Amino acid sequence: MDVFVLIGSFILLLVFRIPIALCLIVSALVTGLYMGFEPQAILQRMVGGLNSFSLLAIPFFILAGEIMNEGGISRRLINLANVIIGKIRGGIAMVNVLASTFFGGISGSSLADTSSLGSVLIPMMKKQGYDSDYSVSVTISSSTQGVMIPPSHNMIIYSTAAGGVSVGALFMGGLGPGILLGIGIMILTYMMAVKRNYPKGEPVKKADIPKIVLDGLLGLLTIVIIMGGILSGIFTATESAAIGTLYAFLITFFVYREIPITRMGVILQRTFKTLAMVLFLIGASSAFGWLLAILQVPAMVSETLLSISPNAAVTVLLILIILLLLGMVMDMAPLILIATPILLPVAQTAGMDPVHFGVVLILALGIGLVTPPVGSVLFVGSAIGRIPIEKASKGMLPFYAVMIVVLLMVAYIPSLSLYLPGLFDQ
């Protein structure tokens, strides 16, 4: 009955379209009172869930992404990608994918990727004769790399939910699958461009190439600073995030100089707004997860899944199906916090390393961001492309196929996620 009250009240609040964080905390409070706990106990669990040094990296990553995005980094990354692959058939679509790969390593957010790059590239693609649903599909599917390519604040959230898995290992674990996803989408865009006879890109003037490359590399150096600091052991993830943010500030306001320093107030305001939502969500999920543990829900789910088949491959497939279905109706951050303590023990029983499972979890939930009915990135892309959700979803079908294939490869070939972390641990 306790489990029914917890899960039932949560689902009921979701049906009434209450924000996820409020659903979590209200259902936790109601269940706690039903079980005889004082409300202070639930609130203490909320505060305790935020008492983690690694969480300090999140505000810095969010701030760095906001600074670089405001300072014109998206346009510079588009120009850099255009220099590299813009001349081939369907070049602007492939530029879209490569720019998302670059931008994902700075923002760590699919939503920011779609909003920033999509507002430039979708109208540009439509103007050059690309179909609107294709333009939107390329943009939103490639944006899912943002949650995989390091640094990703979603990886830090998973690290906290999983009990302290190495952030550096997660960053390196997500790099290979993120690039693999980008390559898969680029192959598909090229095949579709040839089939539909989309135009080739216009060549870049040779005199402009050095400046374009320098401007783009200066922005990408943010990733090198963060990852280099973590992997070399010189900095912790939090310290690297702070230094990367300082570098982004200097590059944006003293090198690019597209915006006045007075814009920093607006940037900080957006950062604090995002951070408040993320931290409240983490705190609420901590209280909810504490009750799940007390009620032994993870053990019940584990026993149920393992009883279906003793085969580890089948268990992994069931986990993927659960994550994809959940990703269709809930956002990524709350799902990471809710699903990790429930499914990680099952995954470990099936032989999955916590780093490997984390990468699979993030990728599966990233696909959920572009999947109806609740995919936030799908809605943003449709709004920018000015097409109905139904048309965008239909145009996404071949891209869904590629993303599912990549997900299966990452899930069943552990070395795709574990090779780089193992290489740097030696």
Side-chain angles (χ1 to χ4, degrees):
M1 189 62 190
D2 297 337
V3 175
F4 176 78
V5 172
L6 180 65
I7 305 299
S9 60
F10 176 72
I11 294 174
L12 181 64
L13 291 168
L14 277 180
V15 170
F16 284 101
R17 304 184 69 84
I18 305 297
I20 294 289
L22 290 178
C23 292
L24 291 169
I25 192 57
V26 171
S27 59
L29 283 169
V30 169
T31 306
L33 291 171
Y34 178 80
M35 295 173 65
F37 291 113
E38 293 292 331
Q40 293 90 329
I42 304 299
L43 297 177
Q44 285 173 355
R45 289 293 169 178
M46 284 187 66
V47 175
L50 297 173
N51 188 21
S52 172
F53 180 75
S54 61
L55 290 180
L56 288 174
I58 293 179
F60 289 115
F61 285 138
I62 295 174
L63 179 57
E66 290 286 355
I67 291 173
M68 297 296 279
N69 188 26
E70 183 79 9
I73 184 62
S74 56
R75 177 177 54 78
R76 288 175 169 84
L77 294 179
I78 290 170
N79 291 338
L80 176 61
N82 192 42
V83 167
I84 299 172
I85 55 171
K87 292 184 291 184
I88 62 177
R89 184 166 298 283
I92 190 64
M94 300 185 76
V95 165
N96 196 331
V97 180
L98 187 58
S100 291
T101 305
F102 293 155
F103 193 83
I106 294 173
S107 72
S109 167
S110 296
L111 201 58
D113 187 323
T114 300
S115 301
S116 181
L117 298 180
S119 60
V120 176
L121 286 168
I122 291 177
M124 186 184 298
M125 291 177 69
K126 291 168 68 175
K127 187 177 180 180
Q128 292 186 17
Y130 291 80
D131 296 320
S132 56
D133 58 341
Y134 175 82
S135 304
V136 170
S137 298
V138 172
T139 303
I140 64 176
S141 60
S142 62
S143 74
T144 55
Q145 297 173 93
V147 298
M148 302 293 296
I149 303 287
S152 167
H153 64 266
N154 291 296
M155 294 288 191
I156 299 174
I157 294 174
Y158 169 77
S159 172
T160 303
V165 177
S166 168
V167 173
L170 288 168
F171 281 175
M172 295 307 297
L175 183 60
I179 293 174
L180 178 64
L181 178 62
I183 292 172
I185 294 173
M186 288 177 75
I187 292 172
L188 176 63
T189 57
Y190 178 74
M191 292 171 60
M192 294 180 71
V194 171
K195 183 178 179 180
R196 300 183 183 184
N197 198 30
Y198 287 139
K200 294 183 178 181
E202 297 180 0
V204 181
K205 295 180 181 178
K206 290 185 178 180
D208 296 335
I209 291 177
K211 186 178 188 310
I212 292 173
V213 172
L214 178 61
D215 279 354
L217 292 180
L218 283 174
L220 291 176
L221 196 56
T222 309
I223 311 170
V224 177
I225 292 172
I226 293 172
M227 292 305 301
I230 295 173
L231 297 177
S232 65
I234 298 174
F235 309 124
T236 64
T238 302
E239 291 166 346
S240 290
I243 292 171
T245 302
L246 176 61
Y247 174 79
F249 175 82
L250 295 174
I251 287 295
T252 298
F253 290 105
F254 298 99
V255 178
Y256 291 161
R257 293 185 292 184
E258 281 195 7
I259 57 173
I261 200 166
T262 53
R263 291 290 297 173
M264 193 63 194
V266 177
I267 292 171
L268 287 172
Q269 185 179 24
R270 287 204 304 262
T271 301
F272 291 149
K273 182 179 179 181
T274 304
L275 182 61
M277 292 188 293
V278 171
L279 293 183
F280 183 62
L281 183 58
I282 291 173
S285 299
S286 298
F288 190 86
W290 176 64
L291 288 173
L292 286 176
I294 288 178
L295 298 173
Q296 298 184 339
V297 172
M300 285 187 274
V301 173
S302 178
E303 290 175 7
T304 302
L305 289 178
L306 294 174
S307 67
I308 295 174
S309 173
N311 191 309
V314 175
T315 302
V316 171
L317 182 61
L318 290 172
I319 291 173
L320 295 181
I321 293 172
I322 290 171
L323 291 174
L324 289 171
L325 291 175
L326 289 173
M328 293 173 65
V329 295
M330 285 181 66
D331 210 355
M332 173 175 280
L335 271 178
I336 294 172
L337 294 161
I338 296 171
T340 297
I342 296 175
L343 295 178
L344 178 57
V346 184
Q348 289 179 300
T349 304
M352 294 182 76
D353 183 89
V355 172
H356 179 206
F357 173 73
V359 173
V360 171
L361 171 77
I362 298 295
L363 178 54
L365 298 185
I367 295 173
L369 294 174
V370 297
T371 307
V374 186
S376 56
V377 175
L378 178 64
F379 279 88
V380 171
S382 299
I384 295 173
R386 298 181 180 179
I387 61 172
I389 292 292
E390 296 79 8
K391 186 175 181 180
S393 300
K394 185 178 180 180
M396 277 291 296
L397 291 177
F399 294 88
Y400 287 141
V402 169
M403 289 190 285
I404 294 299
V405 168
V406 172
L407 176 62
L408 291 172
M409 291 176 64
V410 174
Y412 288 105
I413 308 176
S415 59
L416 291 174
S417 304
L418 299 178
Y419 176 75
L420 285 178
L423 191 65
F424 282 93
D425 281 343
Q426 294 176 0

